[in-house]
Amino acid sequence: MKGMDIVLILLSLFTLAVVTVALKTSLFIKDRSERVHKTVCFLIAIIAGYVFSSPLGGIILGMIKESIDISLAIHRNIFNRERMASATRTFIFWFIGGFLGADALERFQHYISSIIYSGILFEGTG
């Protein structure tokens, strides 16, 4: 494993910790239901980024979901500045989640697999 992979894993874990704190406390987002919504979007973006092996998986999925939400709000005539700010914040979580899923989980899985595989090799030779 390259040193840069470890740095990216640590940076991604740090980012995950910061986002988790931001979503768990009312420091940045006051409304509890909005925090829960953004947490779900963040986790889906992580999964999409990991499944598609690209940050675009989470980002495109987020763009589709937020476009539908904005379209429905406009159709219901309830779209305002606050909804636009909320959609923008949600899209930021989609964006970060997509990158974490594609970069951190891929590298983390590779790192853990190599540790387990090397442990099996050492165990089998003794």
Side-chain angles (χ1 to χ4, degrees), residues 26-109:
S26 61
L27 186 62
F28 298 106
I29 302 169
K30 304 291 185 214
D31 186 26
R32 179 170 167 66
S33 63
E34 186 178 356
R35 282 197 316 263
V36 169
H37 175 257
K38 287 177 183 18
T39 302
V40 170
C41 292
F42 179 66
L43 292 175
I44 292 172
I46 289 175
I47 293 167
Y50 180 70
V51 167
F52 295 113
S53 297
S54 170
L56 289 177
I59 294 170
I60 290 174
L61 190 64
M63 286 174 58
I64 292 169
K65 191 256 182 208
E66 292 308 312
S67 297
I68 292 171
D69 284 353
I70 290 171
S71 299
L72 288 174
I74 290 171
H75 177 71
R76 293 178 183 151
N77 204 20
I78 56 175
F79 188 75
N80 56 19
R81 192 177 285 249
E82 183 181 322
R83 281 210 187 259
M84 185 62 191
S86 177
T88 303
R89 285 191 302 265
T90 305
F91 184 71
I92 290 170
F93 285 107
W94 281 104
F95 189 81
I96 293 171
F99 274 100
L100 282 174
D103 289 334
L105 287 182
E106 284 274 333
R107 297 180 199 287
F108 189 70
Q109 178 195 13

